[in-house]
């Protein structure tokens, strides 16, 4: 038996293409010849190599000429692939090809322009929507669906009144791709046409109106399964675009319609197996409307599609406590994404009866699921939840969550929590237990905290200090004085943090030594604390830190100075020259209130980091005057990053109004 | 999570390992990273980003973040159609090809908690084609934490939900309370290591393989990152070696380094042979 392993000759041709020198004479023609090879591997290698040739403009023109070779399907497809790979440089030649006398070539041009995805082709493609050849028009519609803006969408919308069903189908799909809802009266007649129905329902889902929901609900009651599924898809689409009030209307409408259907449960259960993502999304909305706990597992398993996670959690939460118990009982059988979604939803359903199942989850589940179980145990408000939570206080990954859960739990069963934590304090205190004990015990915990502040274990000393300040700020400050000269860095850092939390401006002298500490964590805490207490006499020390190569230290120094209101223009400039973009952003935010800061923001519009440019735009939008408008407009014209563009657009709009 | 926080975190993760979180996955990112904020006691995602950039524990935390974002479903005997084709069609070919050396190497890239690597080992054992051979299966993953589970080789009901009963009795030892451990002779064929597929230097440590399994891993990468990973696989596979991707994945528009092979039961990718024709 032979395989389809390439022949020796094919292998040689393939390797010959790979070995071609991009700068060599005649390479382009060799590649064009290879585009005609009988082997797809050789053709693809040639298409790839074409991207790397010098003079891409010339390459694009030559490739366009290959598109005209009727009968050479392989070569034409390979040329199309190569043109897509060339990017912007292919745009001009392809737009010109849209005017070719041969409709076959015009269609090819539209197809490739769609794949290229460049907005620059939109106008030419919109013109092609009026091409005399139907195939060209359909390709142009699909291409506008990929590259179009609002202008393109409006042009497509007008074609929905055309006679040709194929064209209207393409338009519906393109509008869906653009997420552009046409007017409802235009869509209604299309729902009755068999070939268009699924796409028409999809577009209907994009219309955020109750009237559209009513039409969708009518579809849910259809005798035809295809119509019901299409309506379900529309329901899923509409739920994803609806705001809160409309969403409530959608749920109510869906509930009314589904309640009337004798086989709604069966239909919805089947829909979870659908290939179409929107049908599955609609099945979730329908399951939530039916509020049927037996659907819980199917709903949870829909989370295997990441995009449905939000809707899965919402739906499970609506199914009620019984569904929660069903999920907890079957947790071990669920897929990983289903377990994660179920655990999240359980937080909304939890009651005291959940404790045994949640405790069991702690025994075997992954850490992130265990963290949710910990949170849920806190919400049970059951004394039975105390022991499993206390047992987690010495597990680094979950100790923080356990402390918070015990805090929540102490709202309902304080005595049980305190008793358990006192036992821990006696036997084997750990930092998390200290925090939990202080939270639950309040001032009664102070003697223990004072004792632990002298413990041999530095982590316990630091924890006692952090906890004491929560209970009594004066005691915290008193302990912090000693902590600042502790031999252990974590305790010194904790001391500095405490001063920042409860000290006043006069406490600046306490932090002087911490600013020069050998341990960077202590210095960071001291810088932060100085900003908190507003110790202006330490500003010079902070200014020196702005030059520090460590971005964390420099950035925090900038923020501390800004909080004190003492940041000088030359310090701002220094920060803006820092190699760490986070420091530059801190400088921009700090300077937002000054003329110097605004000038700096204008300069930073040209920074290589998109987030710095976005921050500069926001600063100018907030604090700039109309004189900044021109610079912001220029920056917007050349901006490539979507988020920075949005920030710049907002700034242009706001500055234009000044 | 604000749009800016999303972008900052997304860019940070991308720069680290080439995994690209799409814009429409903001909610998913938020949900998956929220437990990390809880564990660290951080108030918001901006603080989390600062933690990832500046904290002394940032490297370990970045591993945790990547793991939370990419944790993929894995269980024993996943995608049975492909495994059947692998067992019935690819393994006999490999036995024939490697008869001279009597050595077989398989790389399970992105092995997560190890179920795939052990499944492969069980299939090899079951085939009886490689008795007395030197068999090595390498499982690698970017998350150190999942590798701890993989090495431990203890699994619960979720991992076993597609395991045929006869395989369960043959290759696992019951630990009670619905927990099992993979038998020692299967574990002996499998070793695990920490590896970022985009880190060319650490990939040097992986030996050349006859088969690479990389199922449902590349879905997390954008096109340039996929191309880089495919280059790694191409470098690491022997000529004629097989690349097994997940069923929802393909190599369209990703270059010509692999050819599509139509087996009777499935489609797989293969690194082209050098110059000879293989009979099968």
């Amino acid at each position: 038996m032979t395989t389809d392993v390439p022949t020796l000759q094919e292998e040689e041709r393939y390797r010959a293409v790979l070995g071609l020198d991009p700068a060599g004479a005649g390479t382009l023609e060799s590649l064009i010849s290879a585009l005609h090879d009988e082997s797809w591997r050789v053709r693809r290698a040639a298409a790839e190599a074409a991207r790397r040739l010098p003079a891409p403009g010339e390459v694009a023109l030559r490739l366009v000429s290959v598109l005209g070779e009727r009968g050479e399907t392989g070569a034409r497809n390979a040329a199309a692939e190569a043109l897509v790979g060339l990017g912007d440089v292919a745009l001009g030649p392809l737009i010109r090809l849209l005017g070719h006398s041969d409709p076959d070539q015009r269609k090819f041009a539209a197809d490739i322009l769609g794949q290229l995805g460049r907005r620059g082709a939109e106008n030419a493609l919109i013109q092609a929507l009026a091409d005399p050849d139907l195939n060209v028009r359909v390709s142009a519609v699909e291409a506008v669906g990929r590259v179009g803006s609002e202008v393109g969408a409006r042009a497509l919308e007008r074609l929905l009144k055309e006679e040709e069903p194929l064209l209207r189908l393409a338009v519906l799909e393109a509008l869906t791709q653009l997420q552009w809802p046409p007017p409802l009266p235009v869509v209604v007649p299309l729902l009755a046409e068999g070939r268009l129905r699924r796409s028409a329902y999809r577009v209907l889902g994009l219309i955020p109106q109750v009237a559209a929901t009513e039409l969708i609900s009518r579809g849910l009651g259809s005798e035809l399964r295809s119509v019901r599924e299409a309506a379900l898809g529309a329901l899923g689409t509409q739920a994803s675009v609806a705001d809160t009030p409309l969403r409530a209307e959608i749920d109510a409408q869906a509930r009314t319609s589904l309640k009337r259907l004798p086989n709604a449960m069966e239909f919805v259960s089947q829909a979870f197996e659908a290939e179409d993502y929107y049908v599955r999304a609609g099945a979730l909305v329908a399951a939530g409307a039916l509020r049927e706990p037996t659907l819980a597992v199917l709903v949870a398993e829909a989370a295997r599609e990441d995009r449905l996670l939000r809707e899965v959690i919402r739906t499970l939460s609506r199914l009620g406590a019984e569904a929660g118990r069903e999920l907890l009982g079957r947790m071990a059988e669920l897929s990983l994404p289903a377990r994660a979604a179920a655990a999240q939803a359980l937080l909304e359903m939890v009651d005291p009866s959940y404790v045994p199942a949640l405790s069991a989850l702690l025994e075997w589940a992954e850490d992130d699921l265990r963290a949710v179980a910990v949170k849920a145990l806190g919400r049970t408000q059951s004394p039975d939840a105390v022991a499993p939570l206390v047992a987690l206080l010495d597990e680094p990954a979950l100790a923080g969550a356990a402390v918070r859960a015990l805090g929540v739990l102490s709202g309902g069963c304080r005595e049980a929590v305190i008793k358990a934590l006192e036992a821990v304090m006696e036997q084997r205190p750990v930092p998390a237990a200290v925090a939990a004990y202080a939270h639950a015990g309040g001032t009664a915990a102070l003697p223990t905290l004072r004792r632990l502040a002298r413990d041999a274990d530095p982590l316990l000393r630091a924890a006692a200090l952090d906890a004491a300040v929560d209970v009594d700020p004066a005691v915290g400050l008193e302990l912090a004085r000693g902590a600042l000269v502790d031999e252990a860095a974590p305790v010194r850092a904790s001391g500095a943090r405490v001063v920042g939390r409860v000290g006043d401006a006069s406490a600046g002298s306490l932090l002087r030594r911490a600013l020069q500490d050998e341990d960077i964590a202590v210095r960071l805490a001291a810088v932060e604390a100085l900003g908190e207490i507003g110790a202006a006499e330490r500003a010079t020390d902070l200014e020196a830190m702005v030059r520090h190569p460590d971005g964390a230290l420099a950035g925090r120094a900038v923020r501390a100075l800004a909080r004190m209101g003492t940041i000088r223009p030359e310090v701002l400039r220094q920060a803006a020259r820092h190699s760490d973009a986070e420091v530059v952003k801190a400088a921009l935010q700090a300077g937002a209130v000054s003329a110097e800061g605004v000038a700096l923001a204008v300069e930073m519009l040209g920074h290589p980091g998109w987030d710095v440019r976005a921050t500069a735009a926001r600063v100018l939008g907030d604090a700039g005057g109309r004189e900044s408008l021109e610079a912001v407009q220029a920056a917007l014209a050349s901006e490539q990053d979507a988020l920075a563009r949005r920030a710049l657009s907002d700034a242009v709009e706001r500055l234009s109004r000044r | 999570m604000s749009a800016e926080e999303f972008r900052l975190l997304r860019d940070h993760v991308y720069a680290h390992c080439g995994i690209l979180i799409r814009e429409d996955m903001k909610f998913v990112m938020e949900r998956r990273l929220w437990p990390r904020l809880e564990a660290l006691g951080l108030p918001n995602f901006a603080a989390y980003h600062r933690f990832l950039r500046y904290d002394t524990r940032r490297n370990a935390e970045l591993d945790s973040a990547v793991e939370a974002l990419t944790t993929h479903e894995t269980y024993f005997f996943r995608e049975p159609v492909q495994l059947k084709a692998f067992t019935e069609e690819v393994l006999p070919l490999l036995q024939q090809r490697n008869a001279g050396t009597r050595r077989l190497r398989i790389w399970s890239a992105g092995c997560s908690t190890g179920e795939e690597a052990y499944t492969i080992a069980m299939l090899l054992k079951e085939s009886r084609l490689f008795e007395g051979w030197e068999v090595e299966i390498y499982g690698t993953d970017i998350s150190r934490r999942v590798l701890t589970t993989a090495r431990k080789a203890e699994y619960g009901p979720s991992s076993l939900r597609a395991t045929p009963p006869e395989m369960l009795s043959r290759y696992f030892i019951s630990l009670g309370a619905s927990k099992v451990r993979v038998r020692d002779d299967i574990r002996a064929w499998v070793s695990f290591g920490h590896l970022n597929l985009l880190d060319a230097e650490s990939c040097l440590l992986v030996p050349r393989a006859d088969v690479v399994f990389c199922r449902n891993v590349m879905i997390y990468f954008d096109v340039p990152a996929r191309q880089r990973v495919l280059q790694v696989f191409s470098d690491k596979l022997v000529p004629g070696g097989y690349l097994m991707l997940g069923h929802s994945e393909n190599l369209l528009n990703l270059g010509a380094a692999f050819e599509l092979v139509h087996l009777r039961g499935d489609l797989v990718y293969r690194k082209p042979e050098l110059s000879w024709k293989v009979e099968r």
Side-chain angles (χ1 to χ4, degrees), chain A residues 160-377:
Chain A
L160 282 175
K161 291 173 185 151
E162 294 273 331
E163 283 294 307
E164 181 55 55
L166 177 63
L167 192 65
R168 284 185 293 158
L169 182 64
V171 169
L172 287 170
E173 289 298 321
L175 289 173
T176 304
Q177 202 159 357
L178 293 173
Q179 295 277 293
W180 180 267
L184 189 56
V186 178
V187 182
V188 174
L190 305 178
L191 297 173
E193 293 189 41
R195 272 185 292 182
L196 302 184
R197 188 176 289 132
R198 183 172 284 273
S199 303
Y201 266 108
R202 182 81 43 80
V203 162
L204 182 65
L206 291 172
I207 302 175
Q209 293 173 21
V210 181
T213 316
E214 283 168 9
L215 285 167
I216 292 168
S217 298
R218 225 176 287 164
L220 290 175
S222 167
E223 285 179 2
L224 296 171
R225 181 176 170 170
S226 63
V227 178
R228 290 199 307 267
E229 284 205 348
L232 214 45
L235 195 63
T237 308
Q238 203 183 31
S240 71
V241 299
D243 56 15
T244 311
L246 176 63
R247 183 59 208 265
E249 297 257 18
I250 293 170
D251 290 334
Q253 275 277 352
R255 185 169 174 73
T256 310
S257 306
L258 291 164
K259 282 276 172 195
R260 275 195 233 116
L261 300 179
N263 57 348
M265 274 287 290
E266 189 192 350
F267 156 52
V268 172
S269 303
Q270 280 171 357
F272 279 106
E273 304 301 321
E275 286 281 311
D276 188 324
Y277 159 83
Y278 290 100
V279 174
R280 278 178 283 141
L284 286 174
V285 181
L290 286 169
R291 291 184 208 147
E292 175 52 58
T294 56
L295 289 173
V297 169
L298 279 177
V299 170
E301 288 293 352
R304 280 181 293 182
E305 166 67 59
D306 277 337
R307 287 177 296 168
L308 290 173
L309 180 60
R310 186 198 301 262
E311 194 61 39
V312 168
I313 294 170
R314 187 183 190 279
T315 305
L316 287 176
S317 306
R318 298 188 76 210
L319 295 183
E322 201 187 321
R325 273 184 284 277
E326 165 89 9
L327 287 173
L328 266 175
R330 298 181 61 182
M331 213 58 151
E333 302 157 31
L334 297 179
S335 69
L336 184 61
R339 285 208 299 274
Q344 200 68 44
L346 283 170
L347 289 175
E348 309 297 324
M349 313 166 174
V350 77
D351 67 37
S353 71
Y354 282 39
V355 172
L358 288 169
S359 303
L361 202 57
L362 291 176
E363 295 295 316
W364 64 267
E366 300 79 7
D367 270 355
D368 50 349
L369 296 188
R370 294 173 79 213
V372 182
V374 168
K375 203 171 177 177
L377 279 168

Side-chain angles (χ1 to χ4, degrees), chain B residues 138-209:
Chain B
Y138 302 93
T140 66
D141 202 280
I142 191 169
S143 161
R144 291 184 174 88
R145 198 142 50 110
V146 292
L147 293 173
T148 311
T149 308
R151 284 206 172 91
K152 211 170 162 193
E154 291 178 6
Y155 299 94
S158 175
S159 295
L160 299 166
R161 62 185 191 269
T163 307
E166 68 277 12
M167 300 298 266
L168 193 60
S169 57
R170 217 172 294 165
Y171 297 111
F172 294 88
I173 299 161
S174 169
L175 300 177
S178 34
K179 223 172 199 183
V180 296
R181 186 190 297 136
V182 176
R183 227 175 55 188
D184 284 348
D185 58 332
I186 295 293
R187 293 174 68 185
W189 274 357
V190 186
S191 56
F192 293 99
H194 174 249
L195 185 128
N196 178 349
L197 287 171
L198 288 189
D199 176 2
E201 206 168 299
S202 65
C203 288
L204 290 175
L205 302 172
V206 179
R208 297 195 97 187

Side-chain angles (χ1 to χ4, degrees), chain A residues 601-606 613 616-618 620-621 624-640 644-658:
Chain A
V602 171
E603 284 175 36
M604 291 299 120
L605 290 173
R613 297 196 300 277
R618 279 186 211 112
L620 290 169
R626 210 181 155 79
E627 67 281 359
S628 316
L629 180 60
E630 199 179 323
V632 179
Q633 281 172 326
L636 177 60
S638 59
E639 181 60 64
Q640 298 294 316
R645 278 190 70 80
R646 200 184 305 163
L648 285 161
S649 297
D650 288 345
V652 166
E653 198 195 321
R654 296 173 73 186
L655 290 170
S656 304
R657 291 199 299 257
R658 289 190 187 131

Side-chain angles (χ1 to χ4, degrees), chain A residues 431-522:
Chain A
V434 173
Y437 181 54
H439 188 282
T443 51
L446 278 176
T448 307
L449 297 179
R450 280 181 184 279
R451 176 170 58 80
L452 289 173
R454 296 189 299 275
D455 197 276
D457 181 347
L459 294 179
L460 280 180
R461 295 204 295 279
L465 180 54
D466 282 332
V469 76
D470 287 332
V471 177
D472 184 336
V475 173
L477 194 57
E478 173 205 326
L479 294 175
R481 286 175 185 276
L484 284 168
V485 290
D486 197 284
E487 71 277 16
V491 185
R492 296 199 298 278
S494 180
R497 278 197 301 273
V498 167
V499 172
R501 285 177 62 187
V502 295
D504 57 22
S506 68
S509 58
L510 281 177
L511 296 167
R512 201 157 112 196
R513 195 165 138 178
L515 273 181
Q516 307 303 327
D517 201 282
E518 64 195 27
D519 188 283
I520 195 152
V522 180

Side-chain angles (χ1 to χ4, degrees), chain A residues 23-186:
Chain A
T27 297
L28 176 57
E29 282 316 309
S30 301
L31 288 180
I32 297 293
S33 162
L35 288 179
H36 295 74
D37 198 282
E38 63 188 25
S39 154
W40 66 268
R41 278 204 315 134
V42 178
R43 294 198 299 270
R44 176 160 281 181
E48 280 213 346
R51 294 180 196 184
R52 293 189 289 272
L53 293 190
E58 185 193 335
V59 176
L61 287 172
R62 188 68 184 85
L63 289 169
V64 165
S65 74
V66 176
L67 297 179
E69 296 177 20
R70 276 179 180 271
E72 291 285 351
T73 309
R76 295 174 90 196
N77 285 331
E81 194 179 320
L83 281 162
V84 172
L86 281 177
D88 282 334
V89 76
L91 206 57
L94 287 168
I95 287 175
R96 282 194 292 281
L97 194 65
L98 274 178
H100 199 277
S101 56
D102 178 2
D104 182 58
Q105 294 213 48
R106 298 203 296 278
K107 177 187 179 305
F108 227 147
D111 286 339
I112 302 169
L113 284 168
Q115 284 178 50
L116 255 177
R118 301 295 201 273
R119 187 59 62 80
E122 186 179 21
N123 286 338
L125 288 168
I126 288 173
Q127 282 177 27
L129 294 177
D131 196 282
D133 184 275
L134 175 64
N135 287 329
V136 178
R137 290 209 297 284
V138 169
S139 287
V141 165
E142 286 168 354
V144 172
R146 287 174 181 231
V147 307
S149 66
E150 192 178 319
V151 180
R154 286 191 191 285
L156 290 177
E157 200 179 291
R158 288 192 285 276
L159 296 179
L160 282 175
K161 291 173 185 151
E162 294 273 331
E163 283 294 307
E164 181 55 55
L166 177 63
L167 192 65
R168 284 185 293 158
L169 182 64
V171 169
L172 287 170
E173 289 298 321
L175 289 173
T176 304
Q177 202 159 357
L178 293 173
Q179 295 277 293
W180 180 267
L184 189 56
V186 178

